[in-house]
Amino acid sequence: MRTNKHIQRGDINQHEGQCINQTISCTAFDIKCPWKGTRKALAQHLQECPFEKIRPAIDDIYESLRNVYDPLINEVQTIRQQLEQQVQRNRKQNHFLLAVFNEGKPMSVSPGCSDKRVSPKSTCRTSQALCEQEAIMFKRAMANNWNYNQSPQSQKKQPVQDRPKSTSFLCASCHDDIDFDSIALHHCEGGCICKTCVRMYGSLDMN
């Protein structure tokens, strides 16, 4: 940069933004015009610049392409989200199927076990656990003078610390605590799956 003016140090930035001898690029550099020259030569160059002359056509083409590709990009993003959701569902369903397989001891619905509360002499561990836990609950209720078969309205009057805890089992699929009536599948040697997991992942329907 050359100039005959005396410039104060604090005004150098302002001067460089106005100096006619400053080297600058063409205003069409964004569409690949390679020209560089002094600011005072820019006006002459723009009269002849082929890139600036075709800029209106380029802008029209760009706008047309954007109108075509923007909806496609949005559609691709939507499909990607759907695929990610499906992959997540497939993982959960695979986990559910592994839980049903139960390390070679498949779970099933057995009218003699999961649908009825049988005696502790039953060979079903799930039913045994239920009966054992209910026996503990009954003993606690008796120890606290709490009527085991009293109505829900009267139960609310009983202090919380004196009430027996509800019987719970662990779902092998979602790992939530569930009560006996929420069990959909089980194996007599141990393990159960809740009705919610069976409803959500028990079907192979991909819709």
Side-chain angles (χ1 to χ4, degrees):
M1 179 181 66
R2 296 179 181 178
T3 182
N4 295 323
K5 294 183 179 179
H6 180 69
I7 303 171
Q8 296 294 328
R9 184 179 298 275
D11 298 332
I12 186 67
N13 291 334
Q14 180 180 359
H15 170 74
E16 287 180 349
Q18 301 174 353
C19 180
I20 61 174
N21 294 318
Q22 176 76 18
T23 299
I24 60 174
S25 298
C26 175
T27 54
F29 77 95
D30 58 325
I31 53 176
K32 306 304 181 182
C33 176
W35 181 90
K36 286 187 178 182
T38 61
R39 184 172 279 107
K40 67 180 179 181
L42 177 61
Q44 179 63 34
H45 165 74
L46 291 177
Q47 294 179 6
E48 304 170 353
C49 179
F51 292 88
E52 279 294 349
K53 291 180 179 180
I54 64 172
R55 179 183 288 278
I58 292 176
D59 289 343
D60 288 343
I61 294 173
Y62 175 78
E63 187 66 24
S64 298
L65 291 175
R66 193 173 71 172
N67 291 336
V68 171
Y69 284 107
D70 280 358
L72 292 178
I73 292 174
N74 293 335
E75 184 176 355
V76 169
Q77 291 176 342
T78 300
I79 293 174
R80 179 181 177 181
Q81 292 175 353
Q82 292 174 345
L83 289 175
E84 290 175 348
Q85 292 173 356
Q86 187 62 56
V87 168
Q88 185 67 17
R89 174 176 171 79
N90 288 346
R91 288 175 180 171
K92 292 181 178 180
Q93 193 164 46
N94 288 341
H95 182 72
F96 168 81
L97 293 175
L98 288 174
V100 172
F101 184 68
N102 195 31
E103 297 183 351
K105 299 176 181 179
M107 298 187 193
S108 62
V109 177
S110 175
C113 301
S114 62
D115 289 348
K116 296 181 180 179
R117 301 187 179 191
V118 297
S119 68
K121 295 182 179 180
S122 169
T123 58
C124 177
R125 292 183 181 178
T126 301
S127 296
Q128 284 179 349
L130 174 70
C131 293
E132 289 170 0
Q133 292 184 40
E134 288 196 332
I136 293 173
M137 290 169 62
F138 181 77
K139 290 179 181 179
R140 289 178 181 174
M142 295 300 294
N144 289 281
N145 296 321
W146 196 80
N147 186 354
Y148 189 69
N149 294 316
Q150 62 184 270
S151 65
Q153 290 77 10
S154 58
Q155 289 178 13
K156 292 179 181 179
K157 300 178 182 179
Q158 188 73 15
V160 174
Q161 63 271 20
D162 295 336
R163 298 178 197 166
K165 295 182 179 179
S166 61
T167 305
S168 63
F169 299 86
L170 184 67
C171 175
S173 179
C174 63
H175 305 296
D176 286 344
D177 288 330
I178 58 175
D179 57 29
F180 183 83
D181 293 330
S182 297
I183 296 176
L185 303 174
H186 86 292
H187 190 277
C188 289
E189 294 186 19
C192 61
I193 295 177
C194 68
K195 294 178 180 178
T196 299
C197 286
V198 171
R199 185 166 56 250
M200 292 180 65
Y201 308 114
S203 172
L204 296 179
D205 183 6
M206 306 302 286
N207 294 326

